[in-house]
């Protein structure tokens, strides 16, 4: 008998730690700096990455110590996933939050952590580190590709 995939049957709150971690597709998009319009609250992505993001692997280069180095790094929790409005539409946590299935390129579907990059979803190769850009110039790096959704 086939069992349904956990992300289709469980709420975020009910995932065990291993399931929770596996929902991240490794896109790196949440590690990009964002600009918020103070009047409208609208959030826009930039291609300027957090200083700890490895622009090739799209992984945090010092995950265990990240919060000592980047104090505003967000530790995603079910509550955070419900509250944050800017998670990219491809984010595994957002999809499960919204009752949607994962995309074909998610490693839990494809079995391959490289497919998120091959599908052009991730930040691989298209970021610049915040160590190289003055914060006043971030608006020159506004991008809309973190909001792009590939084919199902
Ligand atoms: S946007 Fe979501 S899926 Fe992508 S790296 Fe961040 S938490 Fe993981
Ligand atoms: S500290 Fe690591 S996990 Fe946090 S935003 Fe930066 S690269 Fe991402």
């Amino acid at each position: 008998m086939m069992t349904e995939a956990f992300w289709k049957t469980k709420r975020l709150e009910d995932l065990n730690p291993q399931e929770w971690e596996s929902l991240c597709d490794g896109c790196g998009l949440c590690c990009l700096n964002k600009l918020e319009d103070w009047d409208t609250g609208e959030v826009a992505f930039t291609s300027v990455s957090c200083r700890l993001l490895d622009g090739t692997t799209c992984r945090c280069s010092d995950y265990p110590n990240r919060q000592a180095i980047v104090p505003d790094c967000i530790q995603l929790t079910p509550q955070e996933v419900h509250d944050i409005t800017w998670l990219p539409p491809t984010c595994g946590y957002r999809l499960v939050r919204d009752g949607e299935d994962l995309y074909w390129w998610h490693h839990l579907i494809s079995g391959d952590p490289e497919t998120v990059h091959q599908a052009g979803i991730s930040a691989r190769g298209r970021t610049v580190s915040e160590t190289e850009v003055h914060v006043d110039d971030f608006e020159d790096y506004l991008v809309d590709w973190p909001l792009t959704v590939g084919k199902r």
Side-chain angles (χ1 to χ4, degrees):
M1 194 175 74
M2 295 278 284
T3 50
E4 273 257 80
F6 72 83
W7 61 90
K8 294 184 185 175
T9 57
K10 288 186 169 185
R11 298 177 312 149
L12 289 172
E13 290 78 359
D14 299 328
L15 300 181
N16 67 39
Q18 189 187 358
E19 290 167 340
W20 177 267
E21 286 300 318
S22 71
L23 261 192
C24 178
D25 62 24
C27 69
L29 299 180
C30 58
C31 303
L32 300 176
N33 281 281
K34 295 155 280 291
L35 297 178
E36 182 172 3
D37 185 313
W38 284 22
D39 294 326
T40 64
E42 198 174 323
V43 175
F45 278 86
T46 75
S47 58
V48 183
S49 68
C50 170
R51 66 193 54 230
L52 287 188
L53 186 74
D54 181 318
T56 301
T57 63
C58 296
R59 296 285 177 181
C60 183
S61 59
D62 196 359
Y63 195 71
N65 301 310
R66 68 194 187 286
Q67 264 159 340
I69 302 166
V70 182
D72 60 351
C73 172
I74 290 172
Q75 171 79 52
L76 276 186
T77 63
Q79 190 58 51
E80 294 276 13
V81 175
H82 286 295
D83 293 345
I84 293 174
T85 56
W86 50 257
L87 282 175
T90 51
C91 173
Y93 298 98
R94 174 170 165 171
L95 291 168
V96 171
R97 178 195 75 186
D98 296 344
E100 306 270 351
D101 200 358
L102 301 176
Y103 288 92
W104 67 267
W105 40 259
H106 194 289
H107 65 90
L108 287 173
I109 305 275
S110 69
D112 182 354
E114 280 298 304
T115 44
V116 66
H117 308 300
Q118 291 161 356
I121 299 300
S122 78
R124 175 176 283 179
R126 40 188 180 177
T127 62
V128 56
S129 172
E130 65 189 6
T131 58
E132 295 171 34
V133 181
H134 192 279
V135 68
D136 290 345
D137 296 330
F138 280 13
E139 61 186 343
D140 295 338
Y141 292 82
L142 289 170
V143 288
D144 60 6
W145 46 258
L147 304 174
T148 305
V149 179
K151 289 189 182 131
R152 283 248 180 226

